[in-house]
């Protein structure tokens, strides 16, 4: 049986984009429920400028309260300052992030793509000193909300550069959920030539309901790691029109019925989503959650 690694990003990618600021107690309870579902990796927080993303301002408190749990908990880090805070919190894994579009990079992290690599150099050096694994994200891999279509060759170049800089995996972000499977084929035809599929992950937002189809096209290319958010929480505050990530429930339902093993319990993920429904007073976007009639 083939194994798929599900990388849960709901507590970070999901909650960073909710209008309601979720209290630390609820974030900790949410992450504990996700851990109880058997997830091996959970992106729990980000160490970014609190003025930019107030939803993540309590990252240190949340991290300190969850870090002894059973999963690997990671934090998104944009620069050395964020890495210092992450190290002080006892971080287990970090993720750096850039994009294939200059306009998006400028809006998101206030620098050029080139400058983002200068910042990562320092973050990766600090991580190596503490034997902390670093993951890398490339955003806007198919379309940018400001520049439109993105050339697959550009994504391939940036992905390769991230791997050469020392990240163990590159997660390819369809930030605004615009891609369809044929876009994914064009993208991966270019990317897998320079980065092996074992070092790639799919991070598909589900704005137009195409994320799961994109997962299946990625599986054809040998990619076996996918990012998702419990309930389909999420978006990106710097990507107008972006809605949540592919829902973890929708991913699990389809993978399990197709014979893939994830070691993650779908019902327990739905427990976590039901909990967040009460906190956010908002029905989860996940179709499978709706079908479970919780
Ligand atoms: P900047 O303003 O260019 O930074 O921000 P700066 O170095 O000029 O510093 C300005 C002020 O920010 C200073 O404070 C710094 O200390 C402070 P002051 O002296 O004015 O009081 N500062 C920080 N504070 C806390 N933590 C830090 C930090 N760095 C500087 N790490 C920065 C640059 C990147 C920090 C800022 O633009 C930022 O935080 N942006 C938020 C980016 C973000 O979180 N975006 C959402 C996540 S990415 C995403 O969702 C996409 C993804 O899911 C994949 C996909 O879907 O495609 C990953
Ligand atoms: Mg995202």
């Amino acid at each position: 049986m083939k194994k798929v690694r599900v990388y849960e990003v709901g507590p970070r990618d999901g909650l960073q984009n909710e209008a309601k600021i979720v209290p630390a107690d609820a974030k900790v309870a949410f992450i504990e429920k996700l851990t109880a579902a058997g997830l091996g990796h959970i992106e729990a927080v980000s160490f970014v400028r609190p003025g930019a993303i107030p939803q993540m301002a309590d990252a240190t408190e949340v991290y300190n309260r969850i870090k002894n749990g059973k999963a690997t908990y990671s934090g998104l880090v944009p620069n050395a300052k964020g890495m210092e805070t992450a190290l002080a919190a006892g971080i287990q894994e970090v993720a750096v992030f850039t994009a294939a579009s200059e306009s998006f990079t400028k809006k998101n992290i206030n620098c050029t793509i080139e400058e983002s690599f200068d910042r990562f150099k320092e973050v990766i050096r600090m991580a190596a000193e503490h034997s902390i694994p670093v993951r890398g994200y490339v955003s806007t891999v198919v379309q940018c909300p400001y520049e439109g279509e993105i050339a697959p060759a550009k994504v391939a170049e940036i992905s390769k550069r991230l791997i050469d800089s020392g990240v163990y995996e590159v997660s390819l972000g369809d930030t605004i959920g615009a891609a369809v499977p044929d876009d994914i084929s064009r993208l991966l035809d270019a990317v897998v030539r320079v980065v092996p599929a074992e070092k790639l992950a799919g991070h598909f937002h589900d704005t137009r309901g195409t994320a799961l189809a994109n997962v299946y096209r990625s599986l054809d290319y040998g990619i076996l790691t996918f990012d998702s958010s419990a309930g389909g929480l999420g978006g990106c505050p710097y990507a107008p029109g972006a809605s949540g990530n592919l829902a973890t429930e929708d991913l699990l339902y389809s993978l399990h019925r197709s014979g893939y093993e994830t070691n993650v319990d779908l019902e327990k993920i739905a427990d976590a989503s039901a909990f967040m429904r009460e906190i956010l007073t908002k029905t989860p976007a996940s179709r499978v959650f709706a079908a479970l009639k919780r």
Side-chain angles (χ1 to χ4, degrees):
M1 194 181 268
K2 272 204 165 177
K3 285 199 170 143
V4 164
R5 174 169 168 260
V6 176
Y7 204 109
E8 171 68 39
V9 295
R12 192 282 301 170
D13 204 345
L15 298 187
Q16 79 178 9
N17 205 37
E18 290 297 333
K20 213 174 193 173
I21 297 200
V22 174
D25 281 351
K27 287 181 180 167
V28 170
F30 180 42
I31 295 166
E32 283 170 350
K33 287 179 194 302
L34 294 171
T35 306
L39 288 157
H41 284 85
I42 302 175
E43 194 169 83
V45 292
S46 63
F47 297 94
V48 297
R49 189 164 59 76
I53 312 280
Q55 292 89 337
M56 294 287 123
D58 56 2
T60 293
E61 179 190 348
V62 171
Y63 201 82
N64 274 313
R65 290 173 61 184
I66 51 127
K67 67 184 175 194
N68 295 320
K70 278 198 177 132
T72 297
Y73 302 98
S74 70
L76 201 66
V77 162
N79 54 15
K81 184 172 168 71
M83 189 63 191
E84 277 163 22
T85 316
L87 286 173
I91 199 78
Q92 297 166 328
E93 174 166 326
V94 295
V96 294
F97 54 111
T98 189
S101 136
E102 287 292 355
S103 318
F104 183 81
T105 309
K106 182 73 189 160
K107 289 251 198 267
N108 195 28
I109 51 177
N110 194 27
C111 64
T112 64
I113 297 172
E114 193 59 39
E115 285 161 349
S116 74
F117 276 93
D118 292 339
R119 294 178 182 180
F120 300 160
K121 211 185 271 171
E122 186 59 8
V123 170
I124 291 168
R125 189 193 60 73
M126 292 164 81
E129 262 177 21
H130 294 83
S131 307
I132 291 166
V134 184
R135 193 175 201 234
Y137 283 102
V138 183
S139 284
T140 60
V141 295
V142 170
Q143 268 200 37
C144 166
Y146 312 107
E147 291 182 16
E149 297 289 327
I150 296 294
K154 181 76 183 165
V155 182
E157 175 207 320
I158 292 171
S159 301
K160 167 88 165 57
R161 207 168 155 194
L162 272 170
I163 292 287
D164 291 346
S165 309
V167 310
Y168 75 85
E169 174 174 272
V170 170
S171 180
L172 299 168
D174 178 20
T175 316
I176 57 169
V180 302
D182 282 9
D183 291 311
I184 297 301
S185 288
R186 279 188 287 275
L187 172 70
L188 294 179
D189 284 341
V191 178
V192 298
R193 238 181 259 142
V194 290
V195 178
E198 310 85 76
K199 293 191 174 183
L200 294 171
H203 178 106
F204 304 129
H205 285 261
D206 205 18
T207 318
R208 293 168 182 79
T210 56
L212 195 54
N214 295 336
V215 165
Y216 278 85
R217 186 60 62 91
S218 307
L219 284 166
D220 291 343
Y221 281 78
I223 295 181
L224 290 169
T225 297
F226 297 98
D227 303 354
S228 61
S229 283
L233 283 169
C236 176
Y238 296 94
S243 62
N245 292 90
L246 171 59
T248 308
E249 291 92 326
D250 298 8
L251 177 64
L252 293 178
Y253 176 79
S254 190
L255 287 177
H256 292 168
R257 277 191 68 87
S258 307
Y260 289 92
E261 199 179 277
T262 63
N263 292 323
V264 184
D265 184 323
L266 168 56
E267 293 285 339
K268 287 187 177 164
I269 295 290
D271 290 344
S273 296
F275 172 75
M276 284 316 294
R277 173 180 56 192
E278 304 311 312
I279 301 291
L280 295 169
T281 56
K282 195 174 141 185
T283 305
S286 165
R287 307 283 284 268
V288 170
F289 180 88
L292 289 170
K293 300 202 182 308
R294 294 299 196 91

